[in-house]
């Protein structure tokens, strides 16, 4: 993040951060067990990685939270990307077919921030 904020300042380019939380994740673990919960995490991670390109970075932020760092992306572009990801995840009917579990309703909530020149990374987050 520090490298990307420095680069955004140097190049005078936009940078967005998206924080993503899997909705009702505890319910997946309680209803289907931790193995399925792990599969939900992997499923979301795969989908996020498939949706980013170039220098965009998708990573796990902690627990059931993920982060996207989107260099050279304005707020509107970050919103459009996240809305597409949200819709894609919502229509998936199975997280891991090999488990024989039909895990429907994987939804996420997200917050999006645009980096302001000179702000500390803690404030950006």
């Amino acid at each position: 993040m520090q490298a990307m904020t420095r680069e955004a300042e140097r190049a005078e380019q936009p940078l967005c951060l998206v924080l993503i939380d899997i909705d009702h994740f505890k319910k997946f673990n309680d209803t289907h067990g931790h193995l399925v919960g792990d599969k939900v995490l992997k499923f979301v991670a795969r989908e996020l990685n498939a949706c980013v390109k170039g220098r965009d970075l998708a990573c796990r932020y902690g627990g059931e939270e993920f982060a996207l760092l989107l260099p050279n992306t304005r707020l509107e572009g970050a919103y459009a990307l996240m809305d597409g990801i949200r819709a894609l995840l919502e229509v998936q009917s199975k997280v891991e077919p090999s488990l024989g579990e039909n895990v429907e309703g994987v939804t996420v909530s997200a917050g999006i921030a645009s980096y302001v020149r000179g702000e500390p990374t803690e404030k950006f987050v």
Side-chain angles (χ1 to χ4, degrees):
M1 182 178 290
Q2 290 176 348
M4 285 190 178
T5 56
R6 282 194 302 270
E7 176 60 22
E9 286 200 24
R10 186 195 63 71
E12 296 184 11
Q13 294 291 326
L15 171 67
C16 281
L17 169 67
V18 182
L19 292 180
I20 303 159
D21 186 72
I22 300 174
D23 297 331
H24 314 291
F25 183 70
K26 184 178 181 327
K27 181 181 172 188
F28 284 108
N29 282 334
D30 291 348
T31 303
H32 301 283
H34 289 276
L35 179 60
V36 172
D38 289 346
K39 296 293 183 179
V40 168
L41 290 171
K42 290 175 184 177
F43 163 72
V44 171
R46 272 193 315 271
E47 295 301 319
L48 292 176
N49 278 321
C51 290
V52 297
K53 60 180 177 25
R55 293 181 42 227
D56 297 348
L57 176 67
C59 57
R60 189 166 176 195
Y61 190 68
E64 71 276 4
E65 299 170 334
F66 294 87
L68 300 178
L69 275 167
L70 307 171
N72 203 21
T73 303
R74 298 191 186 287
L75 200 57
E76 300 82 19
Y79 178 83
L81 174 66
M82 190 58 230
D83 194 46
I85 291 170
R86 179 204 52 75
L88 178 69
L89 292 173
E90 198 169 323
V91 298
Q92 299 294 331
S93 63
K94 290 195 178 194
V95 173
E96 186 56 57
S98 66
L99 288 175
E101 291 279 355
N102 189 17
V103 181
E104 295 182 358
V106 177
T107 61
V108 296
S109 298
I112 303 171
S114 182
Y115 180 68
V116 176
R117 271 183 78 110
E119 78 178 331
T121 54
E122 297 83 15
K123 186 173 179 187
F124 180 33
V125 174

